[in-house]
Amino acid sequence: MSRKPVHLAVYDTYADWETGHATAYLARAGYEIRTAGPSREPVTSIGGLRVQPACALDDVRPSGSSLLILPGADLWDAGDDLAPFARKAREFLDAGVPVAAICGATVGLAREGLLDDREHTSAISFYLAATGYGGGERYVDADAVTDRGLITAGPTEPVAFAREIFQLLGVYDGEVLDAWYRLFHDSDAEAYAVLEKAQASG
């Protein structure tokens, strides 16, 4: 089955560990992962990885994408350099295409007003409250939250973040999704057999 690509936003200081589970297993499920930067100039992650974006953010269209993933980055807290990525998230959501934001990217979405009317989570409630956003009553103290096409998670929950993405896109569901989460989050060796069986029959 042909699938539209998943777009992974990349920018200087992006947190390279926050999206690895999601992108690796999306790729295994047949999704092309396309990196989108502020331009096509190389960017450098917090971990020092130098990445050449496949495309510039301005060239990304919701109609050509399955999902936009926004990782955290020091730059989300340092000013408005990444505001165009939050505006792109609005464009995606308005078009009915999902967005997944983790860690500092949730602050960008709060400033953009995208969390005012959706349940969401982040690192901690007062991290978002400092933006002055209007969605404080909708903050949920959970590992990851999905509401109307928007996934949010805190910086310590890359596995839960991936779980929500897989469920939303239909990559895994039911006991297979639960087993994937238990294996990578809880190191539950018994979950491996469930995944192995599912892959053999898939």
Side-chain angles (χ1 to χ4, degrees), residues 18 71-73 76-77 102-109 111 122 127-128 153 155:
E18 291 177 342
W76 284 112
D77 297 316
I102 186 168
C103 190
T106 61
V107 161
L109 299 192
R111 292 192 187 106
S122 184
Y127 176 56
L128 295 183

Side-chain angles (χ1 to χ4, degrees), residues 77-170:
D77 297 316
D80 296 328
D81 287 356
L82 299 185
F85 287 88
R87 291 194 291 270
K88 184 62 71 171
R90 177 180 291 282
E91 183 183 334
F92 266 61
L93 292 170
D94 286 348
V97 181
V99 172
I102 186 168
C103 190
T106 61
V107 161
L109 299 192
R111 292 192 187 106
E112 182 65 20
L114 294 174
L115 305 184
D116 289 352
D117 61 352
R118 285 179 171 86
E119 290 192 345
H120 59 275
T121 194
S122 184
I124 197 165
S125 60
F126 59 75
Y127 176 56
L128 295 183
T131 68
Y133 83 127
E137 292 184 356
R138 294 181 177 270
Y139 187 90
V140 180
D141 188 11
D143 55 9
V145 172
T146 301
D147 188 1
R148 291 164 38 229
L150 178 61
I151 295 167
T152 51
T156 61
E157 297 295 344
V159 178
F161 184 61
R163 177 197 65 208
E164 297 298 301
I165 289 171
F166 301 155
Q167 185 169 41
L168 187 64
L169 294 183

Side-chain angles (χ1 to χ4, degrees), residues 30-86:
Y31 286 91
E32 176 191 1
I33 308 299
R34 289 183 58 80
T35 49
S39 69
R40 294 197 64 187
E41 293 298 311
V43 300
T44 305
S45 75
I46 289 178
L49 300 181
R50 191 165 172 81
V51 175
Q52 174 77 56
C55 59
L57 181 68
D58 286 346
D59 297 327
V60 176
R61 300 286 181 269
S63 60
S65 185
S66 292
L67 172 72
L68 175 65
I69 302 176
L70 300 174
D74 290 345
L75 285 180
W76 284 112
D77 297 316
D80 296 328
D81 287 356
L82 299 185
F85 287 88

Side-chain angles (χ1 to χ4, degrees), residues 8 12 66-67 69 87 127 168 171 175-177 192 195:
L8 171 66
D12 284 332
S66 292
L67 172 72
I69 302 176
R87 291 194 291 270
Y127 176 56
L168 187 64
V171 173
E175 70 171 2
V176 178
L177 180 67
Y192 180 79
L195 289 178

